[in-house]
């Protein structure tokens, strides 16, 4: 257990800035990735070899201008993150006596270095693995920044009244973060492997395909063609949809388990409702032929849901240590 220690106001402000910057980086990166994946090309989606679908999303001058601004803002924010994360690490080493804070600061520094190296190599190395590494690395850095921010909240603001959360709730809350990370990774594979058009129906995919053969699409280092063959893309879609149901059910269980804990039940309920909204948004994307605005909202909502899950997990762990027994 971390010993009680005063929280540095400078560290709190730095972590808040880092979380805000990283959220912008994640959303702008999603916009650039999705437009490059063909969701903004004309005519969609046969502009990258997929069968025609209703509707189109022209790559007009407005979209090109937005892409330029997003790329510029992304680079500026990413450069600022290098300085902010270094400052956070130095401040945590000098002023924080809590081991967990220092570990998260080191994790942020390692992830920032990884993303910087990946950004340099992406100019010469392309492929799904590089794009997926950028996506998951950025989300991991955002989660670490948000988790550190949650740890720096004074105990007096945590509403630690009520019964102490049991091990099952702690396992469920931490498991929700892990499950969401896998689910976001699956969604990232659908995007970076250009498989959006492989399954344009609900709840399943029309036509025959081999699920076992299609599961090779889960390997980001596979040398299969991009866009994926239809059987692999459809299998990837179905795995992602099954994962969405698992996330929805898991967060429902977490919300049910947190109902007796003030300060946790509202956050858990919000996460479950946001997961339901995310599932509805995913269904709308399929019905509307994957328009770019809905795809971007789907990515932003996934990042927000991950932050809620991280916040909930941190609070459950801290309450289990600090809350009095009922």
């Amino acid at each position: 257990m971390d010993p009680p220690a005063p929280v540095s106001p400078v560290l709190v402000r730095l972590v808040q800035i880092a979380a805000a910057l990283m959220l912008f980086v994640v959303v702008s990166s999603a916009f650039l990735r999705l437009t490059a994946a063909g969701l903004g090309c004309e005519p969609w989606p046969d502009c990258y070899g997929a069968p025609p679908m209703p509707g189109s999303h022209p790559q007009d001058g407005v979209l090109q201008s937005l892409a330029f601004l997003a790329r510029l803002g992304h680079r500026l924010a990413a450069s600022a993150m290098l300085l902010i994360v270094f400052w956070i690490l130095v401040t945590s080493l000098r002023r924080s006596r809590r081991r967990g804070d220092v570990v998260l600061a080191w994790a942020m520094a390692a992830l920032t270095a990884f993303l910087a190296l990946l950004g340099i190599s992406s100019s010469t190395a392309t492929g799904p693995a590089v794009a997926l590494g950028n996506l998951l690395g950025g989300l991991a850095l955002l989660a670490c920044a948000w988790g550190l921010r949650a740890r720096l909240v004074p105990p007096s603001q945590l509403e630690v009244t009520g019964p102490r959360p049991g091990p099952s709730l702690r396992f469920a809350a931490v498991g929700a973060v892990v499950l969401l990370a896998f689910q976001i990774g699956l969604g990232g594979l659908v995007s970076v492997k250009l498989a959006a058009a492989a399954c344009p129906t609900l709840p399943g995919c029309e036509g025959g395909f081999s699920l076992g053969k299609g599961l090779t699409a889960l390997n980001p280092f596979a040398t299969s063609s991009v866009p994926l063959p239809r059987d692999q893309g459809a299998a990837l879609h179905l795995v992602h949809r099954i994962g969405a149901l698992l996330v929805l059910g898991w967060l429902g269980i977490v919300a049910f388990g947190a109902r007796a804990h003030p300060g946790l039940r509202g956050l858990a309920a919000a996460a479950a409702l946001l997961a339901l909204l995310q599932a509805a948004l995913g269904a709308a994307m399929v019905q509307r032929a994957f328009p770019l605005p809905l795809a971007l909202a789907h990515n932003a909502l996934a990042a927000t849901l991950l932050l809620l899950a991280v916040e909930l997990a941190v609070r459950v762990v801290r309450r289990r240590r600090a809350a009095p027994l009922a």
Side-chain angles (χ1 to χ4, degrees):
M1 181 178 0
D2 292 332
V7 176
S8 167
V10 174
L11 184 58
V12 172
R13 182 60 58 88
L14 287 173
V15 171
Q16 290 172 343
I17 294 173
L21 278 175
M22 204 58 219
L23 183 60
F24 173 79
V25 168
V26 167
V27 174
S28 60
S29 179
F31 176 78
L32 294 171
R33 184 181 71 256
L34 290 170
T35 52
L39 294 183
C41 62
E42 168 70 26
W44 155 251
D46 51 310
C47 51
Y48 64 83
M53 296 173 65
S56 64
H57 314 284
Q59 182 75 286
D60 54 17
V62 174
L63 192 58
Q64 291 179 4
S65 299
L66 288 175
F68 171 78
L69 293 175
R71 188 173 293 107
L72 178 62
H74 179 273
R75 290 178 179 177
L76 291 174
S79 299
M81 277 296 294
L82 289 171
L83 299 176
I84 295 293
V85 170
F86 176 75
W87 197 353
I88 288 173
L89 179 59
V90 172
T91 304
S92 64
L93 289 173
R94 292 179 58 188
R95 301 192 181 186
S96 180
R97 300 178 183 177
R98 303 190 300 183
R99 184 177 58 185
D101 296 351
V102 176
V103 169
L104 281 175
W106 273 114
M108 291 177 63
L111 286 167
T112 302
F114 167 75
L115 289 171
L117 292 174
L118 200 61
I120 294 173
S121 66
S122 62
S123 59
T124 56
T126 58
V130 174
L132 190 64
N134 271 301
L135 168 65
L136 297 182
L139 285 170
L141 180 52
L142 175 61
C144 286
W146 197 259
L148 182 54
R149 184 211 61 84
R151 284 179 55 86
L152 295 175
V153 174
S156 59
Q157 299 180 17
L158 290 179
E159 301 179 15
V160 292
T161 59
R164 180 179 299 171
S168 59
L169 183 56
R170 182 184 183 183
F171 170 81
V174 174
V177 177
V178 176
L179 191 59
L180 273 170
F182 277 105
Q183 176 65 2
I184 291 173
L186 288 172
L189 280 174
V190 173
S191 174
V192 302
K193 293 201 171 187
L194 309 185
C199 188
T201 58
L202 288 172
C205 302
E206 294 180 345
F209 63 92
S210 170
L211 182 60
K213 180 181 178 181
L215 288 179
T216 58
L218 294 175
N219 181 7
F221 301 99
T223 57
S224 57
S225 61
V226 176
L228 286 176
R230 187 190 174 280
D231 60 342
Q232 295 186 22
L236 192 57
H237 260 282
L238 289 180
V239 173
H240 183 55
R241 293 177 188 181
I242 293 171
L245 295 177
L246 290 175
V247 168
L248 188 58
W250 191 281
L251 287 176
I253 293 173
V254 173
F256 181 80
R259 69 192 187 283
H261 304 279
L264 296 179
R265 59 188 173 204
L267 194 59
L273 289 175
L274 199 63
L276 184 61
L277 177 61
Q278 179 77 327
L281 187 58
M285 286 172 58
V286 175
Q287 293 178 339
R288 298 290 299 275
F290 302 94
L292 180 60
L294 287 185
L296 184 60
H298 194 64
N299 278 258
L301 204 59
T304 305
L305 185 56
L306 180 62
L307 295 186
L308 280 179
V310 168
E311 176 92 15
L312 180 62
V314 171
R315 288 197 181 191
V316 167
V317 172
R318 292 188 67 188
R319 282 175 58 95
R320 187 168 181 267
R321 291 172 176 174
L325 290 172

